[in-house]
Amino acid sequence: MRRRVRAPLADKWVVIDRLMTVTILPSGRRGRGFDPTTLSIEPKHGLGTPTFA
């Protein structure tokens, strides 16, 4: 089950900006509507990857 976080939209944007880079790619087609396959989401950090000092 997904749980929604109740936070102002600006706060959510800050978290997204800190953790990942989101790019909307050209779809190659015209028209209305959003195609989620045109999103590129790349992590900014190696979250979950163990680091050893």
Side-chain angles (χ1 to χ4, degrees):
M1 177 169 59
R2 288 181 121 167
R3 186 173 174 193
R4 291 189 169 239
V5 175
R6 293 179 183 250
L9 186 57
D11 291 348
K12 292 178 183 180
W13 287 348
V14 169
V15 172
I16 290 170
D17 184 55
R18 296 278 177 145
L19 298 177
M20 62 193 78
T21 301
V22 179
T23 306
I24 301 174
L25 305 168
S27 67
R29 64 181 177 96
R30 292 188 176 261
R32 292 192 153 186
F34 175 72
D35 182 4
T37 63
T38 62
L39 284 180
S40 171
I41 302 173
E42 300 291 329
K44 287 186 177 178
H45 306 285
L47 297 175
T49 304
T51 56
F52 301 99

